[in-house]
Amino acid sequence: DQVYDPQALQAKWLPRWEELNTFAAVEDPADPRPRRYMLDMFPYPSGDLHMGHGEAFAIGDVVARYWFQKGYNVLHPIGWDSFGLPAENAAIKRNAHPAEWTYANIDTQARSFKQYATSFDWSRRLHTSDPEYYRWNQWLFLRFYERGLAYRKDGLVNWCPKDQTVLANEQVINGRCERCQSEVVRRKLTQWYFKITEYADRLLDDMKQLEGKWPERVLTMQRNWIGRSTGADVQFKIEGREEPVTVFTTRPDTLYGATFFVVAPDSPLADEIVAPDRREALARYKAEVAKLSDIERLSTEKEKTGVFLGVYAINPVNGERLPVWAADYVLSDYGHGAIMAVPAHDQRDLDFALKFGLPVRVVVDTGEPDPAETGIATPGEGKLINSGPLNGLSKAEAIQKMIEILTENGTGKAAVNYRLRDWLVSRQRYWGTPIPIIHCPSCGEVPVPDDQLPVTLPDLRGEALAPKGVSPLASAEEWVNVDCPKCGGPAKRDTDTMDTFVDSSWYFLRYCDPDYEDGPFNVEKVRTWCPVDQYVGGVEHAVLHLLYSRFFTKVLYDMGLVDFTEPFQRLLNQGQVINQGKAMSKSLGNGVDLGEQIEKYGVDAVRLTMVFAGPPEDDIDWADVSPAASQKFLARALRVMTEAGAASAPGVDFSKGDVALRKVTHRVIDEVTKLVEAYRFNVAVARMMELTTAIRRAIDSGPGAADPAVREAAETLAIMLSLVAPYTAEEGWERLGHKPSVAKAGWPEADPQLLVQESVTCVVQVGGKLRDRLTVPPDISEAELERLALASEKVQRYLSGAPRKVIIRAPKLINIVP
Ligand code: ANZ
Ligand code: ZN
């Protein structure tokens, strides 16, 4: 049995593992083992598994399988995020129902996951498109509604012209639809929102719990997305208007430097205050601005545009008259949609002032040249000038002082502002959760009573699903027309469906008891498993899914349903699998198919390649890795396990084994344990390779295959290898005379006595002459050895300046050429 045949190993072990059901989480409260919850972001069933899944799930499985080996009671579930547009688009194309495509793909992926040997507890499988699941989206929506956290309003929304539906701000990337890359336009529509802004401060503050446990860049992205700014609200009178207009500023210290006033052209205020003779100019300008995305509008690169509105605002601190303009760089939905412009200290205001000949007045002396001359605004620190009572103060002092003055005069106050907007959750598409609201002409919005949930989707297929700008559900008349639950009169169901990010905001709770019927999740069981200890998934969800599920968790905490405020204790973002330096894509023709790779090299070699390629957060360029080499290594590993198994039986006394090999084995155990815990999986694999080489050498030119140390090393190898190459490890374990499964053999422990590091003497020469001796560990790095040698006093006596050359033969010799 000398050939390594991965397909044969798969065919042999897959059915046997199914019988063993090795990875079921145990609910028994008497089970003394500590619990751990390992979660992979659940897949979208867009087809079969792809290379990205191959990587993410190989990495997640290392963590899960390590915990199983360590003896934890592990929850490692799988399910599908199975609502969404691609299913609907496919259904239109094939004149079918989205469910057909969806569930067929789920079956395919489930089969592939099993072949891929992921350590899931299959009994907890869930699909968000099942009525048994989405019923609870509706239930949660109604609880949010009761708490004032779900509400309807009209406003300007992001509209994807291709998908014919609205998008949340989080789904617009650089002005384009996250899914289809079409340019997003703004439309005025009545839509449902979740009031995530009410949780802005807590979403920020609770990030303290995640510091050092989530990737810093995700925390930074969330912080920026929430975008908390502190400053002041300041009230300006507009001539001829009763009510003052409020502006938000982060720089109340610069109030004396305001030289004009700007309102968003698309705000109702602009229409209201514009002078009659400027009305037409504003209308023309608005039409132009409507074509731009927010990103374009805010860009400092963009040529400034605007129109004078023919009215004046009054500066509350000095009574100055400031001309009021409309300009696109002021957004209608940020702050109050109007600003005081301080061109000396704000670049966009300066660009605008220079273009339209408006005055520039410096009020903070930063020591830099005059912005009016250089065209460069000076936002930095300095002393206040030209500012009455603020003169001589620092920026920070002046901000404080101005807030006091405004508060005293009743013309302003300290204020906080957020970039975060409420989460737009309604969509005008079919394949999602129907919003459980009924619109009654006499009662208004009426929630569907809990006992009438779920509101299931009407049976629509093919053409009926084509995007029309209104939800396809609107055409299902029998479904739409219902009796009002309150007055019994004729009423209509809400025809929008929920953003599928609602589904994924709480699925991790449902896994604790996926068939639970008395609520969205079993509160008791959630208490025993949650929060998730380790979450693994792509960074593309940094401000979408990960922000939404944090928000949901906080709401559920406030409802008393969970006892924690952060859902995911630790987060690992794996990199992408790319090919030839580029993301895989159809147009580039550089796609690599996971199934084909598995066909060619076997599951284990593909998994090992994914894990060995580099640190898990780095991208893997498939052109740079070698699954063939991985396969060769696995063949070598299986061979040493086979030979060790043939030469001795389980149960031998390892302490009688060859000490040199035992030392290698225990050093590898010690290192791999630390490396896996530090998520340095690729280095851990390198250590397994080292151990394999050491066993080979012991068999061939050392104490021989029958030595107890060889068995110890080979058993250790099988257990460690089970994290990355489950089939090979299982086969090796069997050939070593053990019963399956190696997955729960138990993680080996390093014997401290075998870890005692010897030291070696390193000879230090200068110009070929012996000058010093150093005592160093045998595995010292070249860099460390060089550092120690150059630091030696005896060496320094013979050196004047930097050496010309250093020749290092670690750990025994170093020769410094002066
Ligand atoms: C006067 C001022 C002087 C400002 C100065 C800045 C520097 P962040 O940090 O992003 O919150 N602003 C306020 N509302 C705006 C809107 N709707 N559209 C565009 N810009 C708006 O930025 C707050 C600053 O952005 C505010 O402070 C305001 O300009 C501007 F030397 O007020 B500032
Ligand atoms: Zn009614």
Side-chain angles (χ1 to χ4, degrees):
D1 203 0
Q2 286 305 302
V3 246
Y4 178 74
D5 180 352
Q7 310 301 341
L9 294 184
Q10 287 162 213
K12 170 177 173 185
W13 288 110
L14 198 51
R16 292 183 60 181
W17 285 338
E18 291 255 2
E19 273 165 39
L20 287 173
N21 190 23
T22 313
F23 303 110
V26 178
E27 292 290 357
D28 181 5
D31 191 318
R33 295 173 302 161
R35 296 182 181 213
R36 287 272 173 106
Y37 188 171
M38 159 67 213
L39 185 64
D40 309 274
M41 288 185 188
F42 64 168
Y44 180 79
S46 53
D48 201 350
L49 299 181
H50 53 65
M51 293 295 278
H53 293 125
E55 184 195 10
F57 287 92
I59 288 169
D61 219 39
V62 173
V63 178
R65 284 175 173 270
Y66 174 70
W67 287 349
F68 279 113
Q69 293 285 20
K70 289 286 276 188
Y72 291 107
N73 185 5
V74 182
L75 174 57
H76 186 205
I78 186 68
W80 278 267
D81 188 12
S82 51
F83 266 144
L85 264 186
E88 203 166 332
N89 292 339
I92 296 165
K93 228 194 236 158
R94 299 163 195 209
N95 194 28
H97 192 283
E100 293 163 23
W101 183 89
T102 303
Y103 289 92
N105 285 343
I106 289 177
D107 279 347
T108 306
Q109 292 195 348
R111 224 172 305 122
S112 296
F113 271 133
K114 287 187 177 166
Q115 187 201 33
Y116 206 55
T118 36
S119 60
F120 297 137
D121 178 346
W122 282 96
S123 70
R124 291 165 188 266
R125 174 170 170 173
L126 58 80
H127 319 120
T128 59
S129 54
D130 292 350
E132 297 75 29
Y133 185 89
Y134 70 71
R135 165 186 185 181
W136 301 111
N137 282 338
Q138 294 171 337
W139 187 92
L140 287 164
F141 182 98
L142 293 174
R143 300 294 86 78
F144 277 41
Y145 184 77
E146 288 158 8
R147 301 175 80 83
L149 293 172
Y151 67 96
R152 223 155 70 114
K153 71 168 177 196
D154 38 74
L156 280 176
V157 299
N158 304 304
W159 179 263
C160 172
K162 173 140 182 290
D163 292 333
Q164 297 267 309
T165 185
V166 301
L167 301 171
N169 283 343
E170 289 82 353
Q171 290 167 315
V172 180
I173 314 292
N174 294 327
R176 290 174 182 277
C177 170
E178 173 215 24
R179 204 185 305 277
C180 73
Q181 271 72 51
S182 307
E183 237 179 283
V184 168
V185 295
R186 302 282 251 165
R187 265 208 184 179
K188 210 167 200 157
L189 285 173
T190 307
Q191 297 290 318
W192 287 98
Y193 292 83
F194 281 165
K195 214 181 226 168
I196 191 171
T197 51
E198 196 166 301
Y199 284 74
D201 274 329
R202 285 167 66 187
L203 286 165
L204 274 177
D205 295 344
D206 288 351
M207 265 187 241
K208 280 186 208 87
Q209 297 178 44
L210 309 175
E211 218 73 66
K213 301 183 192 164
W214 278 34
E216 191 49 48
R217 84 174 154 154
V218 174
L219 296 178
T220 303
M221 281 167 83
Q222 291 212 356
R223 246 180 239 118
N224 292 342
W225 187 259
I226 297 165
R228 185 178 199 267
S229 312
T230 54
D233 276 348
V234 187
Q235 296 180 359
F236 284 71
K237 278 233 172 286
I238 306 278
E239 287 178 356
R241 190 182 197 258
E242 192 61 39
E243 275 287 293
V245 172
T246 305
V247 304
F248 172 73
T249 177
T250 46
R251 296 291 305 275
D253 57 314
T254 64
L255 204 42
Y256 282 86
T259 56
F260 59 102
F261 192 93
V262 189
V263 299
D266 44 351
S267 66
L269 181 66
D271 283 330
E272 185 205 314
I273 62 176
V274 65
D277 63 325
R278 304 296 301 155
R279 190 169 293 277
E280 216 195 293
L282 174 64
R284 246 181 290 127
Y285 184 57
K286 276 171 64 170
E288 238 174 83
V289 172
K291 296 181 200 141
L292 303 174
S293 69
D294 284 3
I295 309 267
E296 289 168 308
R297 287 175 61 164
L298 287 173
S299 163
T300 44
E301 308 291 303
K302 188 183 160 291
E303 177 81 20
K304 290 286 166 289
T305 58
V307 290
F308 177 49
L309 296 184
V311 290
Y312 291 84
I314 307 299
N315 188 328
V317 292
N318 58 10
E320 272 183 13
R321 293 178 85 221
L322 308 176
V324 179
W325 289 67
D328 60 6
Y329 75 98
V330 174
L331 302 178
S332 60
D333 59 356
Y334 187 72
H336 304 283
I339 66 158
M340 63 176 207
V342 185
H345 307 295
D346 180 281
Q347 191 61 45
R348 278 181 297 225
D349 294 346
L350 181 62
D351 294 342
F352 194 86
L354 294 179
K355 167 129 188 223
F356 293 102
L358 296 159
V360 178
R361 184 191 304 148
V362 175
V363 289
V364 182
D365 181 7
T366 63
E368 289 154 295
D370 185 1
E373 313 235 298
T374 60
I376 300 165
T378 57
E381 301 295 326
K383 282 244 171 314
L384 271 284
I385 56 173
N386 299 326
S387 296
L390 305 183
N391 284 343
L393 298 182
S394 72
K395 182 168 148 181
E397 290 165 345
I399 289 175
Q400 266 321 304
K401 176 88 186 171
M402 182 51 83
I403 289 173
E404 279 164 31
I405 295 173
L406 292 167
T407 311
E408 249 166 54
N409 298 346
T411 47
K413 59 176 191 333
V416 180
N417 203 40
Y418 301 90
R419 212 178 82 91
L420 183 70
R421 298 279 83 109
D422 278 340
W423 171 12
L424 199 171
V425 293
S426 43
R427 296 290 180 276
Q428 292 67 53
R429 295 301 299 254
Y430 170 77
W431 193 230
T433 305
I435 288 178
I437 296 285
I438 290 166
H439 300 280
C440 168
S442 18
C443 312
E445 287 167 5
V446 182
V448 173
D450 281 1
D451 61 10
Q452 291 173 28
L453 299 181
V455 177
T456 50
L457 285 165
D459 197 2
L460 298 181
R461 53 174 56 232
E463 232 347 81
L465 305 174
K468 308 179 237 332
V470 292
S471 172
L473 294 183
S475 65
E477 276 182 37
E478 279 197 17
W479 182 88
V480 170
N481 291 304
V482 286
D483 296 340
C484 167
K486 230 186 200 164
C487 71
K492 283 186 189 303
R493 290 192 189 282
D494 197 293
T495 57
D496 285 351
T497 53
M498 293 181 208
D499 182 359
T500 57
F501 280 109
V502 174
D503 317 0
S504 52
S505 291
W506 62 278
Y507 77 111
F508 53 95
L509 302 169
R510 181 97 185 144
Y511 278 135
C512 298
D513 192 354
D515 300 320
Y516 191 61
E517 287 184 357
D518 300 327
F521 52 89
N522 181 329
V523 171
E524 283 314 310
K525 290 199 174 164
V526 164
R527 219 184 293 283
T528 64
W529 289 114
C530 292
V532 170
D533 293 288
Q534 177 65 57
Y535 202 20
V536 176
V539 74
E540 64 275 18
H541 292 297
V543 288
L544 289 154
H545 165 57
L546 290 171
L547 189 66
Y548 296 149
S549 28
R550 295 185 60 223
F551 161 60
F552 257 64
T553 302
K554 291 171 205 308
V555 176
L556 295 169
Y557 176 85
D558 291 351
M559 289 166 68
L561 294 178
V562 301
D563 56 4
F564 48 89
T565 52
E566 286 295 333
F568 312 122
Q569 298 271 293
R570 295 184 65 124
L571 173 68
L572 179 76
N573 287 140
Q574 83 281 1
Q576 279 191 308
V577 187
I578 58 174
N579 193 20
Q580 294 147 2
K582 297 189 191 72
M584 294 185 197
S585 79
K586 273 206 185 100
S587 58
L588 288 174
N590 65 341
V592 178
D593 184 73
L594 180 66
E596 280 170 23
Q597 295 293 305
I598 289 174
E599 189 76 26
K600 208 160 156 195
Y601 303 106
V603 166
D604 282 1
V606 170
R607 287 180 52 144
L608 187 102
T609 305
M610 296 281 188
V611 174
F612 186 51
E617 0 3 87
D618 287 8
D619 287 350
I620 300 175
D621 191 335
W622 206 249
D624 293 346
V625 296
S626 174
S630 299
Q631 201 193 56
K632 272 200 193 123
F633 159 66
L634 291 170
R636 234 175 11 247
L638 185 56
R639 218 172 298 130
V640 297
M641 292 187 277
T642 308
E643 289 172 34
S648 69
V652 297
D653 183 357
F654 293 152
S655 71
K656 304 237 159 66
D658 175 71
V659 177
L661 179 59
R662 295 203 75 204
K663 279 189 173 173
V664 175
T665 303
H666 284 263
R667 178 176 54 77
V668 169
I669 293 173
D670 181 56
E671 289 181 0
V672 169
T673 306
K674 288 175 184 152
L675 288 163
V676 170
E677 295 203 347
Y679 298 171
R680 298 179 60 203
F681 309 133
N682 57 321
V683 190
V685 170
R687 295 291 175 273
M688 296 177 205
M689 292 175 171
E690 243 179 83
L691 182 60
T692 307
T693 306
I695 304 171
R696 176 83 271 153
R697 212 175 288 145
I699 293 173
D700 292 349
S701 51
D707 190 279
V710 168
R711 167 161 287 275
E712 181 183 35
E715 291 188 355
T716 300
L717 179 63
I719 295 168
M720 289 181 166
L721 214 49
S722 76
L723 310 191
V724 276
Y727 291 104
T728 311
E730 193 74 89
E731 180 69 19
W733 191 241
E734 188 186 54
R735 293 188 194 179
L736 281 159
H738 292 286
K739 286 207 168 61
S741 170
V742 67
K744 286 193 168 174
W747 193 250
E749 247 179 80
D751 178 348
Q753 298 219 311
L754 290 164
L755 290 179
V756 181
Q757 262 212 349
E758 303 137 81
S759 50
V760 291
T761 302
C762 178
V763 167
V764 185
Q765 300 175 334
V766 177
K769 291 203 181 72
L770 172 69
R771 296 301 181 196
D772 199 3
R773 284 195 173 84
L774 301 171
T775 306
V776 298
D779 59 348
I780 190 165
S781 71
E782 292 195 350
E784 177 64 5
L785 197 56
E786 178 173 349
R787 196 186 64 74
L788 287 176
L790 291 173
S792 151
E793 248 177 67
K794 287 180 193 155
V795 167
Q796 279 176 356
R797 257 182 257 152
Y798 298 93
L799 283 178
S800 53
R804 270 198 297 140
K805 207 171 158 192
V806 182
I807 301 152
I808 308 170
R809 298 282 173 267
K812 295 215 166 122
L813 175 80
I814 180 163
N815 183 11
I816 298 165
V817 185

